[in-house]
Amino acid sequence: DWPNEYRAAGPLLMASYANLQDWDAIIQFNYEGNLSPGKIEGNFDISTKPEILFELATAARLFHRGDVSPARARETYSIFGTPGEVPAHMGMTHAVERERGAGFDGSREGKPAVVTSDTGELAWDDGRGLVTINTPRLQAAFGEFRGREVSLDSLTFQSNNTFSALSVASLDGRSIRDSKHLLLTAAARSENQGTVYNATRTQLRSSGDGPILMEPVQGRLSLAGAKPPAHVYALDASGKRIREIPADSPGGIFTVSLTPFPLYEIVFE
């Protein structure tokens, strides 16, 4: 979790693959170990990791609503050992479970460049460094954008950040195409003031001190076929509207330019 700079992907990753595996419950450990946190100082506390907190509402909705479908196929392997190693990516493609006496053929091909769930809703692209969630009511992309666009069934994300976690969720139960009420979340990285990494940013040299700094996402969301008029509101951490954000509709494509805010409410009249 920390000092991993890509932790904003964690809540959506866990919720989506938990749905794929048809788990009954997941839990985020833990909220707070220090009653007066002023800086990031531990692996587990999420109260000092704002990008995770901003993702929780969408991740909870995804999991409880079952936006990602359970896997179509199920692989079993023995609780007492297997003929070979279970490929690490198997749980990203099918459901997996351990069974007494079950066997598993470990002589399988290596991990493909793009690991897609057998439902077609989740894709892990090592080559592009991106993971996508593509369902009717929730669509997301997180990983290395670096100015690139990522197009899903109902929308296109673009981010100039090295790493971003972007998602759009329907709030009224309709598909994103038909929804009148959407939540847009745009998170990136956070760190303490004065944090110093090594040259490859794989190890902390100094963890720094408070305050906690959050990197804003610079980019845009485009919704094809969305019909104005619409209102876009920047939200605070409690979900209250801060101010209205301008939106454009060039060529029938509704576009929201991302500002320093991580949460947005989109309302179609």
Side-chain angles (χ1 to χ4, degrees), residues 126-268:
D126 275 349
R128 293 195 300 165
L130 285 167
V131 178
T132 55
I133 305 172
N134 201 6
T135 75
R137 294 185 295 190
L138 189 144
Q139 293 174 25
F142 34 94
E144 297 183 356
F145 276 84
R146 302 179 187 272
R148 294 179 298 181
E149 291 187 347
V150 177
S151 294
L152 302 173
D153 283 350
S154 305
L155 52 83
T156 297
F157 292 118
Q158 185 272 333
S159 171
N160 297 322
N161 297 61
T162 299
F163 166 79
S164 300
L166 307 177
S167 64
V168 169
S170 166
L171 297 179
D172 57 13
R174 304 175 187 177
S175 68
I176 291 175
R177 291 183 183 275
D178 299 325
S179 178
K180 303 296 184 183
H181 200 190
L182 301 172
L183 175 65
L184 164 63
T185 305
R189 301 174 293 185
S190 72
E191 62 183 33
N192 294 327
Q193 183 171 265
T195 295
V196 179
Y197 287 90
N198 64 351
T200 57
R201 299 186 72 85
T202 55
Q203 186 176 20
L204 278 179
R205 296 302 189 199
S206 172
S207 61
D209 209 334
I212 300 166
L213 307 177
M214 187 170 182
E215 177 186 8
V217 175
Q218 299 178 347
R220 66 178 181 273
L221 163 73
S222 299
L223 293 165
K227 297 187 174 157
H231 297 282
V232 181
Y233 301 98
L235 306 178
D236 66 14
S238 65
K240 294 180 180 178
R241 293 174 181 174
I242 301 173
R243 63 182 177 89
E244 189 162 0
I245 302 297
D248 301 315
S249 299
I253 299 177
F254 180 76
T255 301
V256 180
S257 294
L258 302 179
T259 66
F261 300 99
L263 296 175
Y264 305 83
E265 178 187 11
I266 304 175
V267 182
F268 293 95

